[in-house]
Amino acid sequence: MESQLDQITKHCENLERAADELSSRVTALAEGQAAATDGISDAEYVTLLVHNKKLKYRAQILQKGIAEYSPPKSALSDLPNSVGSTSSSAAPAKSASRVPPLPEVPKDSMCAILQHLEAVFERAVRVAFPQHTAPVNTQIQLSKMADYQCNVAMALAKILRQNPRVVGQAVLDAAGTSPLIANMQLSGSGFINITLSTGFIREQVTRLVTHGVTPPPLNKRKVAVDFSSPNIAKEMHVGHLRSTIIGDSICRLLEFLGHDVLRINHLGDWGTQFGMLIAHLQDRFPNYLKTPPAISDLQGFYKESKKRFDEDEQFKVRAYKAVVQLQGHDPDHINGWTMICDISKREFNKVYERLDVKLSPYGESFYQSRMEAIVADLEQRGLLEQARIQEDETDRKDDRKFMYSNTVEEPQTVMPLIMVKSDGGFTYDTSDMACIRYRTQELDVDWLIYVTDAGQQQHFKSFRAAAARAGYFNSATTRMDHVMFGVVLGEDRKKFKTRSGDTVRLVELLEEGLVRAEAILKEKGRDEALSQQEFDHVKEAVAYGCIKYADLCHDRTRDYVFSFDRMLDFKGNTAAYLLYALTRICSIARTAGVSSGSLLTEARKEPMQLEHEKEWKLARTLLKLPDVILKLTEDLYLHPLCEFLYEVSTVFSEFYDNCYCVEKDKDGNITKIHTSRLLLCEATATVFKQCLAILGIKTVERM
C-alpha cells in the first residue's frame, strides 16, 4: 500500500510540475515576454492552453484519490471504538453516563418525524465527534433510496477535514436505536439512508383514526396577533382581505398547537377625522343625542363630511373644535363618537361572521392614556429629540419630537419615529410604541405578530428598533414577526379595482363569490342532489373557502391575481377541488354502509394492516403533517400547508385507483369490504379536515 501511494504521489508531483511550467510559458506568451524567435504559433499557443487545463484537472483527480485512499490519521483517532478502527490511537467514546439520551417518541401526540430524526443525528454527531461544539445542521431530507436521508457527513467532513464516508460511518455507528427507525445504511460519499419502522407507521396512522390529529409537543407561548385593522367610518375593502385571512389562519394554527392567542383588531377609531364626522353628525341629525340616527351608508357619510371639510372653511374650524372637545372627553361629543364607532363595528362584524373570523377590538382610543405615559417616560429618560431642519439656508427648530432607534453618535440605520406632532398630537408611531409596551408589560405577551402589507416593512424595522432601545421589547425573551404580504391584483395584473376605478368593497366581493359558487353548483346539478339547507351550506363553504384558499396557497410576500374563474375551478390546487375530494373520501365508507363508530372500534383493536405500495405511500404522506405544521411556525408562511394538502389529495387518488376499498359484483352488490383501507380513508379525511380547519375553511360531508 505504501509503495503504491508513493508512486501515485510522485506521478501527481510530476503532473503539477509540468502544469506549472506550461502555465509560466502561457503567461509569458500572453504578456508578450516570449520572443518571436521562439517559434510558437497561434495554434500551438491554443494547444498549450488546452493541455494545461487537462493536466490541472488530472492533478485534482489524483489529489482527491489520494485523500480518499489515505484518510488523515486524525479521522481515525477521533472515531469512537464502535467504528471498528484498527488504529491503536483511536479515542474511546464518551462514557454512557455522559451521552445525551435518545429522543423519545411522544405518547400523547403525533410524532414529528423530521424533528425526531434531527435530534437522533445531532446526538450522534456529539457522541462521535465530541470536539465539534458548533451548532449541527443534520440536513435530514426525504429520499428516493429510503424514507429519509441524513447528509450531515458532507458538511461535517469539510469542517473536520476528514473523509466524508468515514465521518458518515462514525455518525451512523453513534446513532443508537430509535423506535422510528427500522434500518440505516451508509451510501455514496457518506450519505445515511433511513428506513422507517413499518410498525411505527402503522401505529401512527391508526392513531389518526383513534385520536385525530394531535399537535406535536412544544413550548407554549402567549401570542398577540395584530391583524385586519380597518378604520372606523370607512368600509372594509379588498385591501383588508389578505390581513384578515392570513391573520385568522395564523391564529388557528397557533391555537391548534396550544398557544394562548390574543386576536387583536387594532381599529383606527381616534384622530382629527372624528372632528369632521361629529360636526357633520350635528348638522345632519341635530337631535342625535335623543334619537340615534340610522346611518346605513357610513362610507357615504364620511365622504360628505370630508367634502365639507375640504371646501368649507367655517366647517373646518368647527371640526377642529370638535376634535378638541372629543379629546377633552365632552359627554355629547363622546356620545356622537360612540354612535359612529358602533355603526362601523356592526358593519365590520357582518364581514367577520361571513368569513368565520373572531377578533377582539382594541381601538387607538384605548391607548390614549398609555401614549401620554409613553411620551412622558421617553422624555424623562432623554430619548426624545427635537430635530433641526434646513430651510432657506437657515436653521429653525422643528417642534416635532422624534425618537431615534440608536444613539446620536451612531449612524441611523432606520428612520426615526415621530412621537409628537408639531401641534402636540400623537401619531401612529406613538400608538405602536404604546401597543408594544402594553402587550409585553401589561399582558405579558412573549410573541408579537403583526399582519400588514409589505409597504410597512420600513416602519416595523424602525419601531422594533426604537422599542428595543426604550426597553419595551427584548428579542432575547420576546419574539416579534412582521407577517407582510403583497397586494391583490385584478386579472389585468393591475391593482384590484372596480370598473369605475374605485376600491372593491369587501362585502360586494363576498356576495359575488356566493353568486358565482351557486351558479357553478347548479350547473353541476348539486341543487337537485342536496336539500336547500345542505345546498346553502355547500355554497358558502365553496365561495368563502375558495377566496381564502386562493390567498393562502400563494407565497404571501408576492402579489397575486384575484380570479373567481380560477379559484372556483374544480380541477387543480383549489379549495373547490379539495372540498370535493374530501366529500369523495367521506362517501366511501358511507356507501359501504360502514359507520365512523364501527371504524373507530376496529382501529382500537390493533394497528391497521398496510400491504399495497400505494397504501404505504399514503400512510407515509399523512405522517408528514406534524413536521409541516412545525415548519409553519418558523416563518409563518401558510402555502406549504396548502401544498401538503394538495399532495395528500394526489397520493390518495393514486391509492384509490389502485386499491379497492369495497369490491362489488357485476350487479353492483358488495362482495367484500377491506376494513383496513376504509381505516386509511378515515385517517386521510381526518388530516384533510384539520388542515382545512387551520386554513379557516369549513368542510362539507356531501357535495
Side-chain angles (χ1 to χ4, degrees), residues 407-452:
T407 59
V408 178
E409 293 79 14
E410 294 176 341
Q412 303 303 313
T413 56
V414 292
M415 295 292 291
L417 301 184
I418 302 174
M419 300 300 293
V420 181
K421 295 189 293 185
S422 56
D423 62 0
F426 299 137
T427 67
Y428 288 121
D429 294 341
T430 328
S431 173
D432 281 335
M433 287 288 279
C435 287
I436 196 170
R437 188 189 193 193
Y438 169 70
R439 292 167 188 174
T440 57
Q441 296 185 3
E442 295 188 52
L443 297 180
D444 292 324
V445 166
D446 57 3
W447 189 356
L448 298 158
I449 299 174
Y450 297 86
V451 187
T452 74

Side-chain angles (χ1 to χ4, degrees), residues 357-404:
V357 173
K358 294 178 175 58
L359 281 154
S360 297
Y362 284 81
E364 289 179 4
S365 58
F366 175 80
Y367 299 102
Q368 281 303 299
S369 61
R370 291 172 174 84
M371 284 192 269
E372 294 169 5
I374 281 276
V375 171
D377 176 56
L378 297 176
E379 208 155 25
Q380 182 182 8
R381 293 158 58 196
L383 296 178
L384 295 187
E385 304 172 33
Q386 284 187 305
R388 302 189 72 83
I389 61 174
Q390 195 77 18
E391 187 176 293
D392 298 330
E393 299 181 356
T394 60
D395 284 340
R396 69 174 176 81
K397 195 133 182 208
D398 187 345
D399 292 333
R400 293 176 298 173
K401 294 180 181 179
F402 295 83
M403 180 178 179
Y404 292 91

Side-chain angles (χ1 to χ4, degrees), residues 285-336:
F285 305 98
N287 201 31
Y288 73 94
L289 292 174
K290 293 182 178 179
T291 309
I295 304 175
S296 58
D297 183 9
L298 195 57
Q299 181 80 3
F301 186 85
Y302 177 88
K303 289 180 178 179
E304 289 173 7
S305 65
K306 184 69 168 67
K307 188 174 186 296
R308 293 183 67 191
F309 184 84
D310 292 338
E311 298 174 357
D312 187 339
E313 284 299 320
Q314 289 185 345
F315 179 79
K316 181 181 288 189
V317 171
R318 286 182 53 220
Y320 280 129
K321 287 182 179 179
V323 171
V324 174
Q325 289 175 298
L326 176 63
Q327 293 176 342
H329 297 281
D330 174 75
D332 291 351
H333 286 74
I334 289 292
N335 284 337

Side-chain angles (χ1 to χ4, degrees), residues 31 132 172 179 191 238 263 292 320 415 484 490 528 666 675:
E31 295 177 355
H132 181 71
L172 176 59
F191 304 113
V238 72
R263 294 164 160 261
Y320 280 129
M415 295 292 291
M484 55 185 176
E528 298 175 3
K666 61 181 181 180
T675 304

Side-chain angles (χ1 to χ4, degrees), residues 327-354:
Q327 293 176 342
H329 297 281
D330 174 75
D332 291 351
H333 286 74
I334 289 292
N335 284 337
W337 169 78
T338 302
M339 288 179 191
I340 294 169
C341 289
D342 288 344
I343 294 170
S344 274
K345 289 175 184 177
R346 284 197 295 271
E347 294 303 311
F348 296 159
N349 286 336
K350 290 178 183 178
V351 173
Y352 295 141
E353 285 172 11
R354 284 191 177 206

